[in-house]
Amino acid sequence: MLSEFDIIRRYFTRPVKRALLGVGDDCALVAPEPGTVLAVSTDMLVEGRHFLAGADAVELGHKALAVNLSDLAAMGAAPRYATLALALPEADAAWLAQFSQGFFRLADAFGVELIGGDTTRGPRNISITVIGTVPPEQALRRDGAKAGDEVWLSGASGDAALALAHLDGRIRIADAALAHCLARLHTPVPCVALGLRLRGIATSAIDVSDGLVADLGHIAERSGVEVELRYAALPRSRALRACADARLAEECLLAGGDDYELAFTASPDASKRLEALAAELGLALTRIGSVSAGDPGRVSVYDAAGNIMQIARKGFDHFN
Ligand code: ADP
Ligand code: MG
């Protein structure tokens, strides 16, 4: 039988390079680089809410960290450290080996050190706190969007939601498109490099976790501006373009969630730089709308004819 301390030692203790002290003491010790502040964020994944019982443990280890790194990316912060609080129904060695493999593979890819956590028995629950660093004046906050800015989106939204619709039996997606959408749902890749390069360019940014319109609503609200989205301008993956159900496609694009792309605003003066950046990073950056003084806190979605399709005000609410 694995004890709590066996679990920590065997699966979650690795030598640290950057931290002064990692797993094993009462606290970890870290120091930010001179000229930077710490960016700190926590995201929790709850079984039955964010993932299904029996979900692949390698993918869970990846996704639990990925959704957290996505928040650092959206702040323009460089990932540095993570802590991991785990509640597990039992000490399952195979599950732990897989989970830690998925976790550390992504952690290594982004230079993140696991420096502590907590381990307890309970309904399966994964709570990760990430710590990054950013020069304070360059942090990509939600409250900096200005009237006249353009709204940009990395990659494309909707694919993770399309995968869910397939798993729920609402639609059938074929082979290659299905593999693409399932990867987007289960092993999202946080836009860390993009977030770092948006320092000094984006006036505001957010990662798209709850749905494009809902998340842009946070920028609209915090910046005291209206966001006007052009539905026809939204980037669409091949899988989404192949979706014959127009209503489902709209739902996935605008409200799907779990995209972990970056939505951000920037002055029109920055568009050349952003196009060059997209080419350099090998990713799509698409202008999807604009910011106006209009009706602060509102997100309006316009169709190709210029008619309003949808008006939204607030972000996704887990309690309503
Ligand atoms: P405490 O009693 O002070 O809370 P614990 O016995 O819970 O300490 O943890 C011992 C050490 O192991 C601490 O340094 C803690 O940060 C670390 N730790 C516990 N669980 C995890 C985990 N799942 N991942 C990484 N580190 C962990
Ligand atoms: Mg503890």
Side-chain angles (χ1 to χ4, degrees), residues 10-64:
R10 200 175 295 175
Y11 299 103
F12 300 113
T13 303
R14 305 218 322 199
V16 287
K17 300 194 191 93
R18 188 182 285 117
L20 304 172
L21 189 62
V23 169
D25 212 310
D26 299 313
C27 291
L29 298 174
V30 303
E33 305 95 76
T36 68
V37 292
L38 299 177
V40 183
S41 179
T42 302
D43 251 314
M44 179 159 66
L45 297 189
V46 177
E47 184 171 277
R49 173 81 219 179
H50 303 99
F51 62 91
L52 299 171
D56 182 278
V58 178
E59 291 178 347
L60 261 186
H62 173 109
K63 184 164 180 176

Side-chain angles (χ1 to χ4, degrees), residues 216-232:
L216 283 171
H218 291 300
I219 286 185
E221 190 190 9
R222 297 290 294 279
S223 297
V225 296
E226 178 171 342
V227 167
E228 300 175 1
L229 278 190
R230 294 187 303 274
Y231 184 67

Side-chain angles (χ1 to χ4, degrees), residues 4-5 7-8 12-13 22-28 83-86 114-119:
E4 176 186 333
F5 303 101
I7 292 174
I8 297 168
F12 300 113
T13 303
V23 169
D25 212 310
D26 299 313
C27 291
T83 64
L84 166 66
L86 259 187
L114 182 63
I115 55 168
D118 200 23
T119 306

Side-chain angles (χ1 to χ4, degrees), residues 281-296:
L281 296 179
L283 47 80
L285 290 180
T286 310
R287 248 169 298 193
I288 60 170
S290 52
V291 177
S292 76
D295 181 358

Side-chain angles (χ1 to χ4, degrees), residues 188-262:
V189 179
C191 299
V192 171
L194 175 61
L196 293 175
R197 296 296 298 277
L198 290 177
R199 289 178 179 176
I201 302 179
T203 53
S204 72
I206 192 166
D207 65 319
V208 183
S209 55
D210 294 334
L212 182 59
V213 167
D215 286 322
L216 283 171
H218 291 300
I219 286 185
E221 190 190 9
R222 297 290 294 279
S223 297
V225 296
E226 178 171 342
V227 167
E228 300 175 1
L229 278 190
R230 294 187 303 274
Y231 184 67
L234 291 182
R236 291 156 169 83
S237 69
R238 185 175 300 186
L240 207 123
R241 274 184 271 124
C243 174
D245 181 341
R247 265 197 64 172
L248 177 66
E250 178 182 325
E251 196 183 305
C252 290
L253 280 166
L254 293 176
D258 255 0
D259 297 303
Y260 303 105
E261 295 294 345
L262 295 187

